[in-house]
CSV table of all heavy atoms in Angstrom, one decimal:
chain,number,residue,atom,x,y,z
T,1,HIS,N,182.3,54.1,92.4
T,1,HIS,CA,182.4,55.2,91.5
T,1,HIS,C,183.9,55.8,91.5
T,1,HIS,O,184.5,56.1,90.5
T,1,HIS,CB,181.5,56.4,91.8
T,1,HIS,CG,180.0,56.1,91.7
T,1,HIS,ND1,179.5,55.1,90.8
T,1,HIS,CD2,179.0,56.6,92.4
T,1,HIS,CE1,178.2,55.1,90.9
T,1,HIS,NE2,177.8,56.0,91.9
T,2,GLU,N,184.4,55.9,92.7
T,2,GLU,CA,185.7,56.5,92.9
T,2,GLU,C,186.8,55.7,92.2
T,2,GLU,O,187.7,56.2,91.6
T,2,GLU,CB,186.1,56.5,94.4
T,2,GLU,CG,185.3,57.5,95.2
T,2,GLU,CD,183.9,57.1,95.7
T,2,GLU,OE1,183.4,56.0,95.2
T,2,GLU,OE2,183.4,57.7,96.6
T,3,LEU,N,186.7,54.3,92.2
T,3,LEU,CA,187.7,53.5,91.6
T,3,LEU,C,187.6,53.7,90.1
T,3,LEU,O,188.7,53.8,89.4
T,3,LEU,CB,187.4,52.0,92.0
T,3,LEU,CG,188.3,51.0,91.3
T,3,LEU,CD1,189.8,51.2,91.8
T,3,LEU,CD2,187.9,49.6,91.7
T,4,LEU,N,186.4,53.7,89.5
T,4,LEU,CA,186.3,53.8,88.1
T,4,LEU,C,186.8,55.2,87.6
T,4,LEU,O,187.6,55.3,86.6
T,4,LEU,CB,184.9,53.6,87.6
T,4,LEU,CG,184.6,53.8,86.1
T,4,LEU,CD1,185.5,52.8,85.3
T,4,LEU,CD2,183.2,53.6,85.8
T,5,ALA,N,186.5,56.2,88.3
T,5,ALA,CA,186.9,57.6,88.0
T,5,ALA,C,188.4,57.7,88.0
T,5,ALA,O,189.1,58.3,87.2
T,5,ALA,CB,186.2,58.6,88.9
T,6,SER,N,189.0,57.1,89.1
T,6,SER,CA,190.5,57.2,89.2
T,6,SER,C,191.1,56.4,88.1
T,6,SER,O,192.2,56.9,87.6
T,6,SER,CB,190.8,56.5,90.6
T,6,SER,OG,192.2,56.5,90.7
T,7,ALA,N,190.6,55.3,87.7
T,7,ALA,CA,191.2,54.5,86.6
T,7,ALA,C,191.1,55.3,85.3
T,7,ALA,O,192.1,55.3,84.5
T,7,ALA,CB,190.5,53.1,86.5
T,8,LEU,N,190.0,55.9,85.0
T,8,LEU,CA,189.8,56.7,83.8
T,8,LEU,C,190.8,57.9,83.8
T,8,LEU,O,191.4,58.2,82.8
T,8,LEU,CB,188.4,57.1,83.6
T,8,LEU,CG,187.4,56.0,83.4
T,8,LEU,CD1,185.9,56.6,83.5
T,8,LEU,CD2,187.6,55.4,82.0
T,9,ALA,N,190.9,58.6,84.9
T,9,ALA,CA,191.8,59.7,85.0
T,9,ALA,C,193.2,59.3,84.8
T,9,ALA,O,194.0,60.0,84.1
T,9,ALA,CB,191.6,60.5,86.3
T,10,SER,N,193.6,58.2,85.4
T,10,SER,CA,195.0,57.8,85.3
T,10,SER,C,195.3,57.4,83.8
T,10,SER,O,196.4,57.8,83.3
T,10,SER,CB,195.2,56.5,86.1
T,10,SER,OG,196.5,56.0,86.1
T,11,ALA,N,194.4,56.7,83.1
T,11,ALA,CA,194.7,56.4,81.7
T,11,ALA,C,194.7,57.6,80.8
T,11,ALA,O,195.4,57.7,79.9
T,11,ALA,CB,193.6,55.4,81.2
T,12,ALA,N,193.9,58.6,81.2
T,12,ALA,CA,193.7,59.8,80.3
T,12,ALA,C,195.0,60.7,80.3
T,12,ALA,O,195.2,61.5,79.4
T,12,ALA,CB,192.6,60.7,80.9
T,13,LYS,N,195.9,60.4,81.3
T,13,LYS,CA,197.2,61.2,81.3
T,13,LYS,C,198.0,60.9,80.0
T,13,LYS,O,198.8,61.7,79.6
T,13,LYS,CB,198.0,60.8,82.5
T,13,LYS,CG,197.4,61.2,83.8
T,13,LYS,CD,198.2,60.7,85.0
T,13,LYS,CE,197.6,61.1,86.3
T,13,LYS,NZ,198.4,60.6,87.5
T,14,TRP,N,197.7,59.8,79.4
T,14,TRP,CA,198.4,59.4,78.1
T,14,TRP,C,197.6,59.8,76.9
T,14,TRP,O,198.0,59.5,75.8
T,14,TRP,CB,198.7,57.9,78.1
T,14,TRP,CG,199.5,57.5,79.3
T,14,TRP,CD1,199.0,56.9,80.5
T,14,TRP,CD2,200.9,57.7,79.6
T,14,TRP,NE1,200.0,56.7,81.4
T,14,TRP,CE2,201.1,57.2,80.9
T,14,TRP,CE3,201.9,58.2,78.8
T,14,TRP,CZ2,202.4,57.2,81.4
T,14,TRP,CZ3,203.2,58.2,79.4
T,14,TRP,CH2,203.4,57.7,80.6
T,15,GLY,N,196.4,60.4,77.1
T,15,GLY,CA,195.6,60.9,75.9
T,15,GLY,C,194.7,59.8,75.4
T,15,GLY,O,193.8,60.2,74.5
T,16,VAL,N,194.8,58.6,75.8
T,16,VAL,CA,194.0,57.5,75.2
T,16,VAL,C,193.5,56.7,76.4
T,16,VAL,O,194.3,56.3,77.3
T,16,VAL,CB,194.8,56.6,74.2
T,16,VAL,CG1,193.9,55.4,73.8
T,16,VAL,CG2,195.2,57.4,73.0
T,17,VAL,N,192.2,56.4,76.5
T,17,VAL,CA,191.6,55.6,77.5
T,17,VAL,C,191.1,54.3,76.9
T,17,VAL,O,190.1,54.3,76.2
T,17,VAL,CB,190.5,56.3,78.3
T,17,VAL,CG1,189.9,55.5,79.3
T,17,VAL,CG2,191.0,57.6,78.8
T,18,PRO,N,191.7,53.1,77.2
T,18,PRO,CA,191.2,51.9,76.8
T,18,PRO,C,189.9,51.5,77.5
T,18,PRO,O,189.9,51.6,78.8
T,18,PRO,CB,192.3,50.9,77.1
T,18,PRO,CG,193.5,51.7,77.4
T,18,PRO,CD,193.0,53.0,78.0
T,19,VAL,N,188.8,51.2,76.8
T,19,VAL,CA,187.6,50.9,77.5
T,19,VAL,C,187.1,49.5,77.0
T,19,VAL,O,186.7,49.3,75.8
T,19,VAL,CB,186.5,52.0,77.2
T,19,VAL,CG1,186.8,53.2,78.1
T,19,VAL,CG2,186.5,52.4,75.8
T,20,PRO,N,187.0,48.5,77.9
T,20,PRO,CA,186.5,47.2,77.5
T,20,PRO,C,185.0,47.2,77.5
T,20,PRO,O,184.4,48.1,78.1
T,20,PRO,CB,187.1,46.3,78.6
T,20,PRO,CG,187.2,47.2,79.8
T,20,PRO,CD,187.5,48.6,79.3
T,21,ARG,N,184.4,46.1,77.0
T,21,ARG,CA,183.0,45.9,77.2
T,21,ARG,C,182.8,45.2,78.5
T,21,ARG,O,183.3,44.0,78.7
T,21,ARG,CB,182.5,45.0,76.0
T,21,ARG,CG,182.4,45.7,74.7
T,21,ARG,CD,181.2,46.7,74.6
T,21,ARG,NE,180.0,46.0,74.9
T,21,ARG,CZ,179.3,45.3,74.0
T,21,ARG,NH1,179.7,45.2,72.7
T,21,ARG,NH2,178.1,44.8,74.3
T,22,ALA,N,182.2,45.8,79.4
T,22,ALA,CA,181.9,45.2,80.7
T,22,ALA,C,180.7,45.8,81.4
T,22,ALA,O,180.6,47.1,81.4
T,22,ALA,CB,183.1,45.3,81.6
T,23,ARG,N,179.8,45.0,81.8
T,23,ARG,CA,178.6,45.6,82.5
T,23,ARG,C,179.0,45.9,84.0
T,23,ARG,O,179.6,45.1,84.6
T,23,ARG,CB,177.5,44.6,82.5
T,23,ARG,CG,176.7,44.5,81.2
T,23,ARG,CD,175.6,43.4,81.3
T,23,ARG,NE,174.7,43.7,82.4
T,23,ARG,CZ,174.0,42.7,83.0
T,23,ARG,NH1,174.2,41.5,82.7
T,23,ARG,NH2,173.2,43.0,84.0
T,24,LEU,N,178.6,47.0,84.5
T,24,LEU,CA,178.8,47.4,85.9
T,24,LEU,C,177.6,48.1,86.5
T,24,LEU,O,176.8,48.6,85.8
T,24,LEU,CB,180.0,48.4,85.9
T,24,LEU,CG,181.4,47.9,85.5
T,24,LEU,CD1,182.4,49.0,85.7
T,24,LEU,CD2,181.8,46.7,86.4
T,25,ARG,N,177.5,48.0,87.8
T,25,ARG,CA,176.6,48.8,88.6
T,25,ARG,C,177.4,49.5,89.7
T,25,ARG,O,177.2,49.1,90.9
T,25,ARG,CB,175.5,47.9,89.2
T,25,ARG,CG,174.5,47.3,88.2
T,25,ARG,CD,173.5,46.4,89.0
T,25,ARG,NE,172.6,45.7,88.1
T,25,ARG,CZ,171.3,46.2,87.9
T,25,ARG,NH1,170.9,47.3,88.5
T,25,ARG,NH2,170.5,45.5,87.1
T,26,THR,N,178.2,50.4,89.3
T,26,THR,CA,179.1,51.0,90.3
T,26,THR,C,178.2,51.8,91.4
T,26,THR,O,177.1,52.3,91.1
T,26,THR,CB,180.1,52.0,89.6
T,26,THR,OG1,179.4,53.0,88.9
T,26,THR,CG2,181.0,51.3,88.7
T,27,VAL,N,178.8,51.9,92.6
T,27,VAL,CA,178.1,52.5,93.7
T,27,VAL,C,179.1,53.6,94.3
T,27,VAL,O,180.3,53.4,94.3
T,27,VAL,CB,177.7,51.4,94.7
T,27,VAL,CG1,178.9,50.8,95.3
T,27,VAL,CG2,176.8,52.0,95.8
T,28,ALA,N,178.5,54.6,94.9
T,28,ALA,CA,179.3,55.6,95.6
T,28,ALA,C,179.8,54.9,96.9
T,28,ALA,O,179.1,54.2,97.6
T,28,ALA,CB,178.4,56.8,96.0
T,29,CYS,N,181.1,55.1,97.2
T,29,CYS,CA,181.7,54.5,98.3
T,29,CYS,C,181.0,54.9,99.6
T,29,CYS,O,180.8,54.0,100.5
T,29,CYS,CB,183.2,55.0,98.4
T,29,CYS,SG,184.1,54.1,99.7
T,30,MET,N,180.5,56.1,99.7
T,30,MET,CA,179.8,56.5,101.0
T,30,MET,C,178.6,55.7,101.2
T,30,MET,O,178.2,55.3,102.3
T,30,MET,CB,179.5,58.0,100.9
T,30,MET,CG,179.1,58.6,102.3
T,30,MET,SD,180.5,58.5,103.5
T,30,MET,CE,179.8,57.5,104.8
T,31,GLU,N,177.9,55.4,100.1
T,31,GLU,CA,176.6,54.6,100.2
T,31,GLU,C,177.0,53.2,100.7
T,31,GLU,O,176.2,52.6,101.5
T,31,GLU,CB,175.9,54.6,98.9
T,31,GLU,CG,175.3,56.0,98.6
T,31,GLU,CD,174.3,56.0,97.5
T,31,GLU,OE1,174.6,55.5,96.4
T,31,GLU,OE2,173.2,56.5,97.6
T,32,ALA,N,178.1,52.6,100.2
T,32,ALA,CA,178.5,51.3,100.6
T,32,ALA,C,178.9,51.4,102.1
T,32,ALA,O,178.6,50.4,102.9
T,32,ALA,CB,179.7,50.8,99.8
T,33,ALA,N,179.5,52.5,102.5
T,33,ALA,CA,180.0,52.6,103.9
T,33,ALA,C,178.8,52.6,104.8
T,33,ALA,O,178.8,52.1,105.9
T,33,ALA,CB,180.8,53.9,104.1
T,34,TRP,N,177.7,53.3,104.4
T,34,TRP,CA,176.5,53.3,105.2
T,34,TRP,C,176.0,51.9,105.5
T,34,TRP,O,175.5,51.5,106.6
T,34,TRP,CB,175.4,54.1,104.6
T,34,TRP,CG,175.7,55.6,104.5
T,34,TRP,CD1,176.5,56.3,105.3
T,34,TRP,CD2,175.2,56.5,103.5
T,34,TRP,NE1,176.6,57.6,104.9
T,34,TRP,CE2,175.8,57.8,103.8
T,34,TRP,CE3,174.2,56.4,102.5
T,34,TRP,CZ2,175.5,58.9,103.1
T,34,TRP,CZ3,173.9,57.5,101.7
T,34,TRP,CH2,174.5,58.8,102.0
T,35,VAL,N,176.0,51.0,104.4
T,35,VAL,CA,175.6,49.6,104.6
T,35,VAL,C,176.5,48.9,105.6
T,35,VAL,O,176.0,48.1,106.4
T,35,VAL,CB,175.5,48.9,103.2
T,35,VAL,CG1,175.1,47.5,103.4
T,35,VAL,CG2,174.5,49.6,102.3
């Protein structure tokens, strides 16, 4: 989740966010860390 949110926020600085068609099942980093 952190990676996607960071990428969206970085792109938003320019006022436009390019969004491709891509299927994802993003996960919270902390939940991955538990595993």
Side-chain angles (χ1 to χ4, degrees):
H1 294 333
E2 288 85 345
L3 178 63
L4 179 59
S6 176
L8 292 170
S10 179
K13 293 177 182 178
W14 304 100
V16 177
V17 178
V19 283
R21 288 286 302 277
R23 283 179 56 205
L24 293 179
R25 289 178 181 262
T26 59
V27 65
C29 186
M30 195 65 242
E31 292 191 307
W34 293 337
V35 177

